[in-house]
């Protein structure tokens, strides 16, 4: 066989080897790396359901009333006659109310009554939380639940406060300090009303 023939054969074998190696590499890459559209697929969206905001508040009196009483904290719950429908992720409202009650138990002193007022204002369901102490007329600054939320004061309450803020944020709601019919410095929670109840509500201020 001539030298030129040997060169042609060697070149052909080299080309076939390169094609095989390239195909093998591509098949391994395809098997080990999912397509871009699969890797970027979002997780399932949590469904929301219509819930009367009065329900988790009533449950709060049952689940946390005794615990608060053991710490010397009374609970005064005032609910409207009409429902307060909101659209929320199932289970979030009971957790939110429980976190607020636990933060109150970790923040407020003995001899405190925690007043809770729920109502509709415009297109929103509003809950106000305000404490009243036995020695409120002495001029001594007692711990405030709203102040704990503003400053995240107190190690015991801080994780619960962060959890409250996370739940409120994913529902497009608000939790902040504002005056209410209970007085100044109330911890205030606002959720958008849902459905016909919101349509019938008179337009109000945020």
């Amino acid at each position: 066989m001539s030298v030129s023939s040997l060169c042609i054969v060697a070149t052909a074998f080299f080309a076939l080897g390169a094609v095989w190696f390239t195909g093998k590499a591509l098949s391994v890459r395809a098997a080990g790396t999912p397509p871009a559209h699969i890797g970027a697929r979002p997780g399932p969206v949590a469904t929301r359901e219509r819930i009367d905001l009065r329900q988790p508040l009533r449950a709060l009196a049952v689940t946390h009333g005794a615990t608060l009483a053991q710490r010397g904290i009374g609970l005064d719950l005032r609910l409207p006659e009409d429902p307060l429908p909101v659209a929320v992720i199932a289970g979030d409202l009971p957790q939110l109310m429980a976190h607020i009650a636990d933060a109150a138990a970790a923040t407020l002193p003995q001899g405190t009554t925690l007043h809770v007022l729920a109502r509709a204002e415009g297109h929103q369901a509003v809950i106000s939380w305000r404490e009243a102490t036995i020695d409120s007329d002495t001029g001594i600054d007692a711990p405030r639940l709203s102040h704990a939320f503003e400053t995240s004061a107190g190690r015991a309450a801080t994780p619960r406060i962060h959890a409250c803020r996370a739940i409120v944020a994913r529902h497009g709601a608000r939790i902040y300090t504002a005056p209410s019919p209970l007085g100044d410095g109330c911890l205030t929670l606002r959720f958008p009303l849902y459905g016909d109840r919101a349509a019938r509500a008179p337009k109000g201020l945020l």
Side-chain angles (χ1 to χ4, degrees):
M1 182 178 293
S2 64
V3 175
S4 60
S5 298
L6 288 174
C7 290
I8 292 173
V9 172
T11 302
F13 273 109
F14 180 80
L16 289 173
V19 170
W20 178 87
F21 181 81
T22 302
K24 187 69 174 178
L26 289 175
S27 63
V28 171
R29 182 179 299 177
T33 305
H37 70 279
I38 294 178
R41 183 180 298 171
V45 177
T47 58
R48 302 193 180 196
E49 59 184 32
R50 183 182 185 274
I51 295 178
D52 184 353
L53 193 56
R54 299 176 303 172
Q55 294 176 357
L57 286 173
R58 291 189 180 114
L60 180 68
V62 176
T63 59
H64 284 72
T67 302
L68 291 171
Q70 290 175 356
R71 296 178 177 269
I73 301 172
L75 183 63
D76 173 34
L77 191 61
R78 309 179 193 180
L79 304 178
E81 294 182 0
D82 293 331
L84 297 171
V86 293
V88 296
I89 300 170
D92 269 9
L93 276 184
Q95 290 184 15
L96 176 60
M97 302 306 168
H99 288 319
I100 293 176
D102 288 339
T107 302
L108 302 179
Q110 291 186 353
T112 300
T113 298
L114 182 60
H115 299 283
V116 184
L117 173 64
R119 62 204 182 276
E121 289 186 359
H123 293 267
Q124 295 183 329
V126 186
I127 304 175
S128 298
W129 311 71
R130 191 178 193 277
E131 61 287 310
T133 58
I134 295 176
D135 58 353
S136 58
D137 295 333
T138 63
I140 300 175
D141 291 334
R144 303 290 298 272
L145 180 60
S146 59
H147 184 258
F149 271 78
E150 289 175 349
T151 61
S152 294
R155 292 182 180 180
T158 296
R160 299 173 178 87
I161 291 172
H162 289 327
C164 289
R165 289 173 176 163
I167 294 173
V168 168
R170 66 174 168 259
H171 286 87
R174 298 176 63 196
I175 188 166
Y176 63 108
T177 301
S180 82
L182 295 177
D184 295 331
C186 297
L187 180 66
T188 303
L189 178 64
R190 290 181 178 268
F191 272 87
L193 283 169
Y194 176 80
D196 295 338
R197 182 68 179 86
R200 294 196 303 268
K203 188 174 182 180
L205 298 176
L206 297 181

